[in-house]
Amino acid sequence: MADDKFALQEAVKPYSAGTEHSQSVPDPVAHFKAIPWCRALIEDKANLDILVPDRRPLDSGESNFVRRTMNTPTTIKACVTFFRPVRAHPKLQASSGGALSKSQELLSGGGPENNENPKNPFLLFSALCDLGVDCQSYAGTMHGGLYGVLMDEVMGTAANFQSANGAYTVRFTTNMRRPVRTPQVVLVRGRVIKRDGRKLHVRGSMEDKNGEVLAEADGLWLCMAENVGRSVL
């Protein structure tokens, strides 16, 4: 069992962020583990790894919107990402957290018929984001544009793990289900469901602490021939 999990971890380990992250919260993992429903997700035995997204500004100014604007005590003060197979590897322990998601669209697809490579599976990426009051539009309600921003970032992370040189968003559709109250911690998910040559079909969701789907998204990413960098949320 350990050997199989180690093999999957090694396949994605090069993308893991460093220990320096420049988030507003000194220890984002501990921050979320102090919240019971978040702790259960983070400590799921089927998880392959936990990433603390690097928010240090780049000299080029790349990703300033995520690294600066959305990285403050009153916007997104803490974020961690973790990932796992949708269908637990035969020799790995199954999820201890029950159903993965109420979004059936997110969990569909994959497999040989959708060109999933078992050596580089379509992993389910999940990000916990602690949203502050400066994410709001109407008082107490998150700005509608952030549905797309947050899901696009996590879905893009899932796409980048399928592309040696990164991937660009070509098409993105957001379906808003419920308002997001702020402040609040939300769970944002993303997963590649199909590969067609350089085209990656990706789906995502945003969920609350009760597992209710706040929004869903689907999109198309294109694998790049040259390195374009990797956005990670």
Side-chain angles (χ1 to χ4, degrees):
M1 183 191 308
D3 290 342
D4 289 278
K5 187 165 187 175
F6 179 77
L8 284 173
Q9 286 173 320
E10 286 301 295
V12 296
K13 197 66 173 178
Y15 301 104
S16 296
T19 54
E20 297 183 60
H21 52 75
S22 192
Q23 293 191 32
S24 296
V25 172
D27 188 342
V29 175
H31 174 77
F32 287 111
K33 281 191 174 182
I35 304 170
W37 72 272
C38 297
R39 184 186 188 96
L41 290 166
I42 292 173
E43 294 185 345
D44 191 319
K45 294 180 180 179
N47 288 335
L48 299 176
D49 202 358
I50 300 170
L51 311 180
V52 176
D54 189 349
R55 291 293 177 257
R56 290 173 294 176
L58 301 174
D59 292 339
S60 65
E62 179 184 346
S63 300
N64 268 357
F65 181 70
V66 173
R67 291 175 180 265
R68 287 181 179 272
T69 306
M70 298 306 298
N71 179 41
T72 74
T74 57
T75 51
I76 299 179
K77 67 180 178 182
C79 178
V80 297
T81 303
F82 45 98
F83 52 91
R84 53 154 294 163
V86 169
R87 299 166 186 83
H89 191 281
K91 295 185 179 181
L92 295 182
Q93 292 183 359
S95 169
S96 60
L100 283 179
S101 174
K102 293 181 180 180
S103 174
Q104 294 304 310
E105 295 295 315
L106 177 69
L107 302 180
S108 65
E113 65 275 20
N114 289 298
N115 297 314
E116 181 176 5
N117 183 347
K119 293 183 179 180
N120 185 22
F122 297 159
L123 300 173
L124 176 65
F125 284 78
S126 302
L128 288 165
C129 301
D130 195 338
L131 307 178
V133 294
D134 284 346
C135 290
Q136 67 189 23
S137 176
Y138 293 107
T141 304
M142 185 186 76
H143 190 289
L146 288 181
Y147 286 95
V149 169
L150 295 173
M151 288 189 290
D152 177 76
E153 286 291 313
V154 178
M155 292 162 68
T157 301
N160 285 329
F161 271 69
Q162 289 292 317
S163 175
N165 294 312
Y168 272 179
T169 312
V170 175
R171 176 185 57 78
F172 187 88
T173 302
T174 304
N175 297 306
M176 304 173 187
R177 308 296 188 197
R178 293 177 172 85
V180 176
R181 305 301 180 189
T182 55
Q184 179 180 179
V185 174
V186 294
L187 174 64
V188 188
R189 298 187 186 269
R191 175 173 171 262
V192 174
I193 61 158
K194 181 180 179 180
R195 183 172 193 135
D196 182 11
R198 292 174 59 198
K199 297 178 182 178
L200 298 172
H201 299 264
V202 191
R203 286 185 179 146
S205 69
M206 183 183 296
E207 303 167 18
D208 66 12
K209 64 180 181 180
N210 299 314
E212 295 300 325
V213 176
L214 304 171
E216 293 180 292
D218 67 88
L220 180 68
W221 269 252
L222 186 66
C223 297
M224 294 291 101
E226 298 179 357
N227 194 342
V228 297
R230 295 180 176 86
S231 177
V232 177
L233 183 65

